[in-house]
Amino acid sequence: MKILDLFSDRKQGAPRQEEPAAPKISPPISPERPAGEIEARQVLPPPFESSNPHYSLIYPTVDDPARPNNRLINLSLAAASQASSVDLSSILSRMPCPPYWPDVWPGEHYKLLAGLIKELAPRQVIEIGTSTGLSALTIKQFLPEDANVTTYDIVPWKEFDATVLKAEDFDSRLTQLICDLSDRSVFDQHRDLLKKADFVFIDAAKDSTQEDLFLANFDTLEFDNEPIFMFDDVRLWNMLRTWRDIKRPKLDVTSFGHWSGTGLVDWNGNAS
């Protein structure tokens, strides 16, 4: 039996149907795609054309090691409601051309991120993965006046060609630190700041290895408060196992966040 048959709805004994042809347009497979996804693409061509398809997996949540609690459910509903009226035009104006990702909602996570910040009103936000700065600016825009977002990256913001950040953005409310928090010795140097976090947004390599190290390092930390963690891209192939292995209260909010997966974790929370 061909592997393709395993994914068909053809009943046993029914006449064989012609196997679907590969789409005429197939996006390139970049080197960072995991081997499993590359192999899947070779056997199972995407069933429809898309600008940036990725392979994932659907699975029941009944045997997941963790379930959402009431705090996560109520927070997600409130943040989604907030997201529907969020205005990010000041950030869009910094982008030279479309696609204007922060204005895509649902589908991108920026407006949900804004809604979460509005609901939680955190005093200290930690972002891991500055990249072009879209998320950092979104967080800063909706932070309380006396709050701060510290964004970590291994690359200075000026070195991203598509950055929307400006030097004047960095003040008492926005700071960038250049280091790798997946390194335990580096993480330990920042413990005093990290333990103050009310909200942590992880949007880094998505190679599962780095995220596993982040999680292991944060497991050693005693937070001053009750932080909410937000993970990007939890439905990408590389992130499936990492997300599944989290045993703290968690909720997949992809429908209100990023099409590639958005997950929330109540780090110190108890299951409902």
Side-chain angles (χ1 to χ4, degrees):
M1 175 181 289
K2 295 183 178 180
I3 295 179
L4 194 63
D5 292 341
L6 298 174
F7 293 85
S8 72
D9 57 3
R10 181 172 56 86
K11 295 182 179 179
Q12 189 173 7
R16 176 177 294 276
Q17 301 295 318
E18 182 178 351
E19 295 177 352
K24 296 179 181 179
I25 300 175
S26 181
I29 299 175
S30 55
E32 62 270 17
R33 290 186 186 273
E37 183 176 341
I38 295 175
E39 293 168 358
R41 281 173 169 268
Q42 294 170 345
V43 176
L44 297 172
F48 53 83
E49 296 178 8
S50 176
S51 60
N52 187 24
H54 285 261
Y55 276 82
S56 189
L57 181 74
I58 58 173
Y59 50 84
T61 59
V62 66
D63 54 355
D64 195 300
R67 300 285 295 160
N69 58 14
N70 287 334
R71 183 190 184 199
L72 287 175
I73 293 172
N74 293 334
L75 172 63
S76 300
L77 292 172
S81 180
Q82 292 271 16
S84 64
S85 59
V86 162
D87 180 6
L88 296 176
S89 57
S90 63
I91 299 175
L92 301 181
S93 67
R94 299 190 181 198
M95 302 177 70
C97 60
Y100 298 111
W101 302 121
D103 207 34
V104 177
W105 187 83
E108 296 291 331
H109 62 247
Y110 302 98
K111 291 192 175 185
L112 178 66
L113 181 58
L116 289 165
I117 298 301
K118 292 179 72 174
E119 282 296 315
L120 292 168
R123 290 296 183 269
Q124 180 62 63
V125 174
I126 299 297
E127 178 189 39
I128 303 179
T130 309
S131 188
T132 61
L134 290 171
S135 294
L137 287 182
T138 299
I139 294 169
K140 183 183 179 183
Q141 179 175 331
F142 295 96
L143 275 180
E145 286 299 319
D146 58 347
N148 169 268
V149 52
T150 299
T151 178
Y152 287 86
D153 209 305
I154 59 174
V155 179
W157 66 270
K158 287 184 178 181
E159 296 184 15
F160 284 92
D161 292 337
T163 186
V164 295
L165 293 166
K166 302 176 182 179
E168 55 265 32
D169 293 324
F170 295 92
D171 51 25
S172 63
R173 301 180 68 242
L174 175 61
T175 308
Q176 187 187 45
L177 297 178
I178 306 301
C179 63
D180 184 359
L181 290 180
S182 66
D183 184 322
R184 175 64 65 82
S185 63
V186 174
F187 185 92
D188 287 343
Q189 296 172 23
H190 296 261
R191 297 179 75 88
D192 288 344
L193 171 62
L194 297 172
K195 71 178 185 178
K196 297 177 182 177
D198 303 295
F199 185 82
V200 179
F201 178 41
I202 298 181
D203 184 10
K206 274 86 74 172
D207 62 0
S208 76
T209 300
Q210 190 180 57
E211 281 71 22
D212 286 350
L213 292 171
F214 289 147
L215 287 166
N217 288 343
F218 277 112
D219 273 335
T220 70
L221 201 61
E222 292 189 11
F223 286 95
D224 293 343
N225 303 304
E226 304 295 326
I228 293 292
F229 277 57
M230 179 175 176
F231 289 85
D232 190 29
D233 297 323
V234 297
R235 293 195 183 182
L236 292 185
W237 190 269
N238 273 358
M239 287 291 291
L240 290 173
R241 196 264 314 146
T242 297
W243 175 251
R244 181 77 165 186
D245 284 352
I246 294 175
K247 295 178 174 59
R248 301 171 186 272
K250 63 186 179 184
L251 179 62
D252 185 323
V253 291
T254 300
S255 293
F256 294 125
H258 199 179
W259 59 269
S260 56
T262 299
L264 298 180
V265 177
D266 185 356
W267 192 262
N268 289 337
N270 297 316
S272 298

